[in-house]
Amino acid sequence: MSAEQDRHFLQHALRLAREAQESGSSPVGAVLVGPDGKVIAEGQNRTGEKFGPERVGGASLAHAEMDAFFRAGKLEDPETLTLYTSLEPCLMCGGGSALLQVGRIVWATDDAWGGSGRLIAWDEHQAMKDTVTTATPFADLEHDGALLFAPEAKKSFPAEGWALWQKRYPQETAGLEDVKGKGE
């Protein structure tokens, strides 16, 4: 994929993240794209939505990437696919991507607390060594994603996680003193 395509699909993932937020879920979106640039499936965080026959919802595993994978069904040639996400995948979604053998993952915004990269080295883990990762290739989209997710990070993460977010994204986390943090 070209840099122009990467930008387009990350913007698409960010739009889905905004839709998730408007639906009462965490603001995370994902787009699974074939080598021809065709969208195979979209997903958004649905933890705040009801479970339905056409989607997973209302459960802790209703993350954007998992939603996209469930919607995609059986993947043909997964090593040729690219997963675009608004936020660095967590261990569950990163692990799911590896088990499905997705060839490439691109995310708009690092997740200083919940992202897989904080806990494992993508290129060193046996299951993930064949997955190419591209973190935050566009500063403006990283900023947009961090602004979008920062209030959720403050509400959902423990103090240690919020501190990591503040360190990684000082500008985007400033002014969130009125948002109640976890355990406050």
Side-chain angles (χ1 to χ4, degrees), residues 31-130:
V31 185
L32 188 61
V33 179
D36 58 357
K38 195 172 187 180
V39 174
I40 293 168
E42 300 176 338
Q44 61 191 58
N45 187 292
R46 297 188 184 279
T47 56
E49 297 179 40
K50 292 191 185 242
F51 184 83
E54 64 281 336
R55 70 169 180 267
V56 65
S60 296
L61 62 79
H63 289 195
E65 300 89 342
M66 301 307 281
D67 185 36
F69 293 147
F70 284 120
R71 288 172 175 255
K74 181 147 176 64
L75 299 177
E76 299 292 327
D77 303 317
E79 68 281 356
T80 67
L81 306 180
T82 300
L83 176 67
Y84 292 93
T85 68
S86 60
L87 187 68
E88 178 184 359
C90 69
L91 278 174
M92 175 180 68
C93 297
S97 300
L99 290 172
L100 292 170
Q101 300 176 335
V102 173
R104 184 170 177 245
I105 304 172
V106 184
W107 59 85
T109 306
D110 287 332
D111 185 348
W113 173 254
S116 294
R118 187 177 80 79
L119 302 169
I120 59 171
W122 282 87
D123 58 344
E124 293 175 14
H125 190 280
Q126 192 63 26
M128 298 176 176
K129 65 180 172 60
D130 293 329

Side-chain angles (χ1 to χ4, degrees), residues 152-165:
E152 182 69 24
K154 174 135 192 222
K155 287 189 296 187
S156 301
F157 295 159
E160 176 187 3
W162 177 238
L164 289 172
W165 260 80

Side-chain angles (χ1 to χ4, degrees), residues 20-34:
Q21 185 177 49
E22 290 166 8
S23 297
S25 293
S26 296
V28 184
V31 185
L32 188 61
V33 179

